[in-house]
Amino acid sequence: MSSNVTPTSKPVKTTGLHVGDAAPGVRKVDPILIADGVKRTFGGLTAVDVDHVEVPRGAITALIGPNGAGKTTFFNLLTGFDKPDAGKWEFDGRSLAHVPAYRVARMGLIRTFQLTKALGLLTVMDNMKLGAKGQTGENLFRSVLPFLWRKQEDEIEAKALEILARFKLDTKKDDYAASLSGGQRKLLEMARALMSDPTLVMLDEPMAGVNPALTQSLLDHILDLKSQGMTVLFVEHDMHMVRHIADWVIVMAEGRIVAEGDPHIVMQDQAVIDAYLGAHHDADLGSTDTEHVEVLKELIDDEQ
Amino acid sequence: MIDWIAIFSNAAQELISPTTAAYALAALGLAIHFGYTGLLNFGQAGFMALGAYGYAISTLSFGFPVWAAVLVGIGASVVFALILGIPTLRLRADYLAIVTIAAAEILRLVFTTNTFDALTGSASGLQGYKGGFADLNPIPAGTYGFSPFTYNAYDWWIRIVGWSLVVLLAVITWLIMRSPWGRVIKGIREDEDAVRALGKNVYSYKMQSLILGGVYGTLAGMIFVLPRAVVPANYQTSLTFFVYAILLLGGAATILGPVIGSMIFWVLLSFFSGFVARAVEAGWLPFMSQVQAGQLRFILVGIAIMLIVIFRPQGIFGNKKELAFVK
């Protein structure tokens, strides 16, 4: 697959993104995405309750947190796939509240999904072409007249070929997307997102289910997005990857932002350790739980 | 002895009969809904009824010319599609199925009830609306063709109009399905959230598809009633399922599938009914009465369709490669 399976060079980190001390909700020098008081509850469960968060422009930001922290729900809220109970948030100065998902995408905020959504029974090329914005032929009445959209179609195809070549999928262009491997589908989904020239790319667990041989090439592609001037926000569990490529890390736990900062520093934050391991992870459970042990022993005696 | 020539010539007539054309049109509409967009429309009979009644009522009760009566039918089915689609297309696919099957039945019962007898003719239906259509016939009176396809001028006129419509709509469907519009539609079938994330207004596309396929059904309903009368009992749920059978027979996401599927369906139906009826007459099936024989054809067609679905599940024109990836 990728020619450089081991990291060849250390990626260039973007620094100086924030204003003041790194703390949850810290102001950024140039935020692209700002969320304020975004709250989403499912019945009695508060999945997301974010007071304030800003995503820096032109950098790679990682959103991490233990399972159930509300990362994917937060993603869905930002991209219009779910509606919050309260809150406002804006992208590039434009409010995103009550904007449907497809309009969010047209503004230049493109997302991928945790469970890859390659369109199986479309060819790889058709998947790519679908990603392009503002197509004349996507209007029902104009679609009947090929001469109206043929030229644009050729341009889109040329662009798709160029991106596919970069992702090493060009030899697969006429195959059904369903015939690709899991990792290739992740690549395809990312390549498809690039067809619309997004300004902010949101990747939901780009590494999940990708075989190690493809990991490095995927990482390079994410770094590539930054060098092309795009902002990246991604959810990930793999801490090595986060440390390797992220310029900024936002940590979520139980729906809240508990820490923010540089990837190397934030990992040592007490709130982050608590979030992942539990607040009492270093306390001796035996000493606090003597009562329970007594009760258990009594129960066992009763049985006998 | 059995009159094989009569059986075969009756079956052959179904190849170009207006009913076959009507079912082909309705199935083409379902191909847009189900095959390409993934919409589960179980109310195609309702769209056909709107075509039939829209045409007949505006001709009989309001004296509309043919073109206006056709537009009334199309308008009615657009409104029907909007009523069905607005509340359900934002929800999961199965809700559309529930709503369409119920709405088609509601329509049929409204057309059957005595309350609107003056307009709909209730259970006995409507007739006498063919004058305007027959007046447009450029063919001079007389009988044309060769055995077994010998018809009078009016019968030829229906067939020409019906099959021209089939060809026209098949070409239009082929054109739009290979365009970027068709690409979005097929993308929605695969995963509508992914298409939404790429900036396409999925709701609007699904609505366009529902309306377009519904209009095909409406035109099918008009062709369907030109050689017969408008009778509400024709628009039962079973009509929708016959159209689905045709679609699956030919291949769900194909253009030729619904057309050839309709031909095969009707030729088989006519062949079996002719054969069984005469076999009973000749005493080959002593355990069976003529009435029972009338029903047996549907059983035989059902078995034939089962065999095709088992041994050629992609349909006659479907792409075998697609099946390799069906989850």
Side-chain angles (χ1 to χ4, degrees):
Chain A
M1 284 290 136
S2 176
S3 52
N4 44 350
V5 173
T6 48
T8 43
S9 60
K10 227 172 138 52
V12 184
K13 293 293 182 94
T14 312
T15 51
L17 297 164
H18 58 294
V19 181
D21 289 335
V26 67
R27 285 209 308 120
K28 303 295 180 323
V29 177
D30 183 14
I32 189 167
L33 191 70
I34 305 173
D36 249 321
V38 174
K39 191 169 177 173
R40 176 75 168 109
T41 53
F42 296 108
L45 176 83
T46 306
V48 167
D49 186 4
V50 169
D51 292 332
H52 184 84
V53 71
E54 298 182 1
V55 175
R57 187 191 306 272
I60 299 178
T61 305
L63 183 62
I64 64 169
N67 288 326
K71 304 179 299 284
T72 297
T73 309
F74 189 52
F75 247 54
N76 286 342
L77 293 173
L78 290 179
T79 49
F81 276 83
D82 195 1
K83 289 188 176 61
D85 305 322
K88 55 181 194 236
W89 61 112
E90 56 179 55
F91 168 67
D92 238 355
R94 283 174 293 179
S95 173
L96 283 184
H98 310 296
V99 175
Y102 74 93
R103 290 245 175 88
V104 174
R106 283 184 196 173
M107 285 181 187
L109 196 170
I110 299 279
R111 70 168 295 181
T112 66
F113 293 87
Q114 187 174 357
L115 299 169
T116 332
K117 291 185 187 292
L119 304 166
L121 294 187
L122 262 59
T123 62
V124 169
M125 182 47 99
D126 274 348
N127 264 276
M128 293 295 288
K129 286 177 175 174
L130 199 58
K133 277 201 286 197
Q135 298 188 45
T136 319
E138 286 184 356
N139 176 298
L140 177 56
F141 298 106
R142 273 174 278 184
S143 71
V144 198
L145 307 167
F147 59 87
L148 288 178
W149 45 263
R150 182 66 68 202
K151 190 166 161 283
Q152 190 188 25
E153 181 84 351
D154 291 342
E155 288 165 13
I156 291 170
E157 182 155 345
K159 182 177 175 183
L161 268 180
E162 187 247 314
I163 295 177
L164 279 179
R166 236 196 296 151
F167 282 79
K168 299 198 171 63
L169 285 171
D170 47 343
T171 51
K172 293 265 184 191
K173 72 184 171 73
D174 297 321
D175 293 359
Y176 281 129
S179 71
L180 299 181
S181 72
Q184 287 172 324
R185 285 184 211 191
K186 289 264 176 198
L187 285 174
L188 173 62
E189 209 183 9
M190 205 186 286
R192 189 174 66 193
L194 297 187
M195 283 297 289
S196 65
D197 301 316
T199 37
L200 172 58
V201 183
M202 295 176 56
L203 307 169
D204 199 349
E205 299 205 17
M207 294 297 157
V210 175
N211 90 52
L214 266 180
T215 309
Q216 188 55 41
S217 118
L218 250 170
L219 283 179
D220 290 341
H221 285 303
I222 296 174
L223 287 167
D224 217 30
L225 300 181
K226 185 173 94 168
S227 61
Q228 287 174 39
M230 285 171 240
T231 306
V232 179
L233 175 66
F234 71 97
V235 169
E236 191 47 69
H237 281 295
D238 183 342
M239 287 306 149
H240 294 292
M241 173 193 166
V242 170
R243 250 194 294 261
H244 184 57
I245 66 167
D247 302 313
W248 191 257
V249 175
I250 298 172
V251 188
M252 277 184 89
E254 290 167 5
R256 301 180 152 276
I257 309 278
V258 294
E260 270 193 63
D262 175 272
H264 293 280
I265 297 164
V266 82
M267 304 283 184
Q268 283 137 34
D269 191 308
Q270 190 57 43
V272 178
I273 296 165
D274 288 352
Y276 272 93
L277 301 174
H280 304 290
H281 70 95
D282 48 1
D284 181 5
L285 295 178
S287 62
T288 52
D289 267 1
T290 40
E291 264 184 45
H292 293 112
V293 176
E294 290 300 327
V295 173
L296 261 175
K297 275 183 183 161
E298 275 171 36
L299 275 172
I300 293 165
D301 286 346
D302 285 351
E303 293 246 314
Q304 290 163 347
Chain B
M1 240 340 271
I2 286 187
D3 183 0
W4 286 103
I5 295 180
I7 295 176
F8 281 114
S9 78
N10 281 340
Q13 284 185 11
E14 293 295 338
L15 270 180
I16 59 160
S17 84
T19 311
T20 307
Y23 275 65
L25 283 177
L28 207 51
L30 266 194
I32 294 177
H33 288 156
F34 175 71
Y36 288 106
T37 324
L39 297 175
L40 277 171
N41 169 21
F42 282 122
Q44 195 68 335
F47 284 103
M48 292 176 77
L50 281 175
Y53 276 96
Y55 182 83
I57 291 175
S58 46
T59 308
L60 291 173
S61 300
F62 303 102
F64 281 14
V66 172
W67 61 267
V70 171
L71 284 184
V72 167
I74 291 175
S77 77
V78 171
V79 172
F80 187 56
L82 288 171
I83 292 172
L84 294 179
I86 287 172
T88 56
L89 288 183
R90 286 185 206 279
L91 307 173
R92 240 179 29 224
D94 15 4
Y95 291 95
L96 181 72
I98 300 165
V99 167
T100 47
I101 200 168
E105 276 297 277
I106 292 170
L107 268 186
R108 182 178 69 84
L109 294 171
V110 166
F111 288 134
T112 313
T113 177
N114 284 325
T115 317
F116 309 111
D117 188 56
L119 275 180
T120 62
S122 63
S124 47
L126 297 165
Q127 48 193 325
Y129 47 80
K130 293 167 197 165
F133 178 74
D135 289 344
L136 293 174
N137 187 358
I139 308 170
T143 308
Y144 304 90
F146 53 92
S147 181
F149 305 107
T150 312
Y151 305 107
N152 65 28
Y154 179 73
D155 285 344
W156 273 118
W157 179 227
I158 306 174
R159 281 165 178 77
I160 290 167
V161 171
W163 286 102
S164 307
L165 207 55
V166 170
V167 171
L168 178 73
L169 293 187
V171 170
I172 289 178
T173 314
W174 178 73
L175 277 173
I176 58 175
M177 286 310 166
R178 62 197 279 275
S179 77
W181 188 86
R183 191 160 60 216
V184 178
I185 285 291
K186 285 180 256 180
I188 291 171
R189 176 190 67 197
E190 297 302 313
D191 193 317
E192 60 173 84
D193 274 343
V195 177
R196 199 172 277 131
L198 294 172
K200 319 289 176 197
N201 187 350
V202 169
Y203 181 64
S204 162
Y205 278 102
K206 281 161 87 175
M207 187 63 90
Q208 290 170 29
S209 162
L210 185 64
I211 291 174
L212 188 69
V215 168
Y216 282 28
T218 301
L219 294 171
M222 292 177 197
I223 300 295
F224 184 67
V225 295
L226 283 175
R228 51 173 69 76
V230 177
V231 182
N234 281 339
Y235 303 98
Q236 292 179 4
T237 314
S238 56
L239 172 59
T240 301
F241 288 109
F242 284 141
V243 178
Y244 260 103
I246 287 170
L247 181 66
L248 297 178
L249 187 65
T254 60
I255 306 290
L256 280 179
V259 180
I260 307 295
S262 177
M263 288 176 169
I264 294 174
F265 179 86
W266 280 104
V267 168
L268 280 182
L269 202 60
S270 166
F271 174 79
F272 285 134
S273 86
F275 171 74
V276 175
R278 284 180 175 80
V280 169
E281 226 173 64
W284 288 11
L285 304 165
F287 51 88
M288 199 172 261
S289 71
Q290 282 291 359
V291 179
Q292 288 168 326
Q295 295 304 312
L296 186 63
R297 61 180 179 153
F298 289 111
I299 298 174
L300 291 175
V301 169
I303 291 171
I305 289 169
M306 276 166 66
L307 290 176
I308 288 184
V309 170
I310 291 166
F311 293 107
R312 203 174 162 80
Q314 73 273 32
I316 294 167
F317 290 95
N319 183 351
K320 185 106 206 228
K321 241 167 64 186
E322 288 182 5
L323 277 182
F325 303 114
V326 171
K327 290 138 254 171

